Structure formats: C-alpha cells, structure tokens
Amino acid sequence: MASQRLLLLDTASLYFRAFFGVPDSFRAPDGTPVNAVRGLLDFIARLVETYQPTHLVCCWDNDWRPEWRVELIPSYKAHRVAGAGDTVVDEMASSASTAGEQAPDDLAVQVPVIVDVLRALGLAVVGADGYEADDVIGTLAATATMPVDVVTGDRDLFQVVDDDREVRVLYIARGVGKHERVDDAWVRAKYQIPAAHYVDFAVLRGDASDGLPGVAGIGEKTAASLINSYGGLDDILAAASESSTAISPSVRSKLGQAIDYLAVAPTVVRVATDIDLGVQVDELRLPTAPVDADGFAALTERYGLGGSADRVVASLAGLA
C-alpha cells in the first residue's frame, strides 16, 4: 500500500491562475465561460499524477478578510475593497491580478460551477466561517499525521513549512507546471532565515499585497539579520531594549515607533492552527473515481468540460 500523503489546495489561488491563464474561448455550449473550471481540473489532474496523494482537500475562503484581523490592523487587505457591494469573489480576484481591480463577471459565474464539479468528483471542499483558506490549510497541516504538500501562490504559507513533520509548500508563483518545492533549505536560501521564523520576518518586512505596513525602514536584509542575531520578534524587541546589544540606534528607533503595530501584527500574519473544521484528515481520502458519476457526467456535458474532465478522472483512476 502506498504511503499516505495529504495534498492541500489553496483553491482560489489555483482557479484565479486558471482564469487569467487559460483562454476565455473555453465556453459551455450555452456560452458560459469555463476557462477557470477547466484550468483548475487540469491543475488538479497534474498535481495528483505527480504527487499521488492519498488525501486531498480543496481549502476554501469562507471569509477573505476576517473582521478579527481587520480589527487588529485596519489596513489589512483594505486596498482590495472597491465598494461595499462587491462580492467575495470580486475582492479575492483583485489579489490575483492587480490591487483594487474587480473580477470580471466571467470569473464570478464560474465559482459555483467549480464547487459543483469538485463535489461531484468527491473532492473535499473545506472552509470555516470567519477564516481564510490559509487558516484551513494551517489547521490541517498542523494536525495531519502524514506528509503534507500545500499548493499555493501565497508566500505567507511558507510559515507552515516543517521539515521534521514533512510539511512543504508547492509554490506556484511561476506556474503550476513550474512550481517550486519549498522546504526549510529553500526558505533559507531565499530569505536567509529558517522557515520557523517566517512570521517574524513577514511582520518586520511587511507585505503591501496584504496591506501590512511592516516596520518603516526595515527591509528583508535587516529583518533577516535581526532574526539570525536574536531569534523571534519577542527576542528582537528584548534585545532592542538593552543598550548593550549591537542593534543600531536607528533600528532601535524604528522598532520603537512601530511598537503598536508589532504588538498585533503577529496575530494577523500567523495562520490559525486550531480551527474546528468539523472533519478529520482521515475522512478526506481521495476517491479513485467520481463519487457522483452521473452528476459529474451531467456537469461535464452541460459545461463542455471535455478533455479536462477526462484528465482529472484518469488521474484519480491512476491511484487505484
């Protein structure tokens, strides 16, 4: 019997990439766009064939901008809010293209189709009210008792990398076909810090794409130097309060001016690891055929999913 392996999909990251990367000429017989649907199925088929997971979860954004994060840092994803009437899909799509740009209707109409197709296949779709997909991923990665691959284009999830527990990220920023396998050595080579301190690093550096200001005047090199010299954020702040340490007056001043931000930012940046998802990883086994074969066949015909449907079914059958 093959060793168990869990594949966690940052689903929106994948279907946005599909939407913007697959020609919009792919349409259902009635004219409904299906490029995101077909692209997502092709991505899943490729990932399943390559990594042969025994368990798979399509992690979902039930709340793309949780209020509890906004209360701590009001600027959190604020630049993506284009208007009070915008849908979650509009705002999530803006992060996949350019900040503030609303998703075309051609993407919004495909999201319910994606949900129907995934469920007909029997792929677990898991979200939690008040939380982002990142938090679902963080919880499942933290509680899994098997090796875990997290598929995402979001570097925030580098924080879940854990070589000891065999948790890594399949980073798709350059494309699913050119994804990078992110482990601790990869993070160290890229940022000169261990993955265990990625949250501290992200807090200090900030992230404009998420509306996180960071500490003004502290970039990646200074953040990495502080982490390597003193450890985590609490240790850095403790060192900055001691005149005997080698932290420069300029850096001490910058940290001091950002003390209110530093008090709350780790909570915003750190993904949740203890959500009650109502499911256990052992229940999320990947089927070797669509659980609703008739329903999947009907969806395939209705939306003209063609070869994409065939490929994802073949990838599941290859696990038998």
Side-chain angles (χ1 to χ4, degrees):
M1 181 176 177
S3 298
Q4 293 189 326
R5 177 170 294 276
L6 172 63
L7 193 64
L8 300 177
L9 307 183
D10 183 354
T11 316
S13 185
L14 285 165
Y15 70 63
F16 285 138
R17 183 166 294 276
F19 176 77
F20 290 109
V22 176
D24 63 6
S25 56
F26 285 98
R27 293 182 175 262
D30 66 359
T32 301
V34 293
N35 55 332
V37 184
R38 293 195 58 158
L40 176 62
L41 292 179
D42 284 336
F43 291 159
I44 292 173
R46 176 178 291 188
L47 291 163
V48 168
E49 289 172 359
T50 302
Y51 292 99
Q52 297 286 292
T54 53
H55 299 69
L56 184 148
V57 183
C58 298
C59 302
W60 208 260
D61 283 292
N62 278 22
D63 191 340
W64 69 276
R65 189 177 181 239
E67 183 60 31
W68 60 270
R69 283 191 165 108
V70 176
E71 287 178 355
L72 293 172
I73 299 182
S75 63
Y76 182 67
K77 296 186 178 179
H79 61 294
R80 302 182 191 177
V81 181
D86 294 336
T87 65
V88 170
V89 173
D90 289 334
E91 302 309 339
M92 289 163 58
S94 73
S95 68
S97 51
T98 56
E101 179 182 338
Q102 292 186 22
D105 291 340
D106 281 359
L107 173 57
V109 73
Q110 295 185 65
V111 176
V113 181
I114 287 171
V115 174
D116 289 343
V117 168
L118 294 176
R119 287 179 172 158
L121 282 169
L123 305 187
V125 177
V126 179
D129 290 345
Y131 291 94
E132 302 173 55
D134 286 8
D135 299 307
V136 176
I137 289 169
T139 295
L140 291 172
T143 56
T145 57
M146 63 188 75
V148 179
D149 287 323
V150 175
V151 183
T152 184
D154 185 353
R155 60 183 181 177
D156 285 346
L157 283 166
F158 293 165
Q159 65 183 277
V160 305
V161 169
D162 185 338
D163 286 3
D164 291 340
R165 297 187 58 251
E166 297 185 79
V167 179
R168 63 182 178 180
V169 167
L170 306 180
Y171 189 45
I172 60 171
R174 296 193 300 148
V176 174
K178 298 179 180 179
H179 68 265
E180 300 173 84
R181 297 181 179 92
V182 177
D183 56 11
D184 191 71
W186 190 99
V187 175
R188 287 178 184 271
K190 177 73 172 178
Y191 299 111
Q192 289 72 58
I193 59 161
H197 281 305
Y198 190 82
V199 169
D200 304 303
F201 179 76
V203 166
L204 290 166
R205 177 202 61 198
D207 190 338
S209 68
D210 280 339
L212 298 172
V215 178
I218 292 184
E220 291 192 355
K221 289 184 178 180
T222 301
S225 176
L226 289 170
I227 288 168
N228 289 320
S229 296
Y230 303 103
L233 185 58
D234 289 343
D235 298 315
I236 291 168
L237 293 176
S241 69
E242 298 290 337
S243 60
S244 59
T245 57
I247 299 177
S248 71
S250 173
V251 171
R252 291 177 198 269
S253 176
K254 291 168 182 173
L255 291 170
Q257 292 172 23
I259 199 65
D260 290 341
Y261 161 78
L262 293 172
V264 297
T267 302
V268 174
V269 174
R270 187 175 293 111
V271 299
T273 58
D274 58 355
I275 306 172
D276 181 4
L277 296 173
V279 296
Q280 300 296 320
V281 170
D282 289 345
E283 302 170 357
L284 305 173
R285 197 166 188 91
L286 190 59
T288 57
V291 296
D292 181 2
D294 291 343
F296 184 71
L299 288 166
T300 298
E301 181 177 0
R302 177 180 176 182
Y303 292 106
L305 302 182
S308 298
D310 294 340
R311 285 186 285 275
V312 76
V313 169
S315 73
L316 298 179
L319 300 173

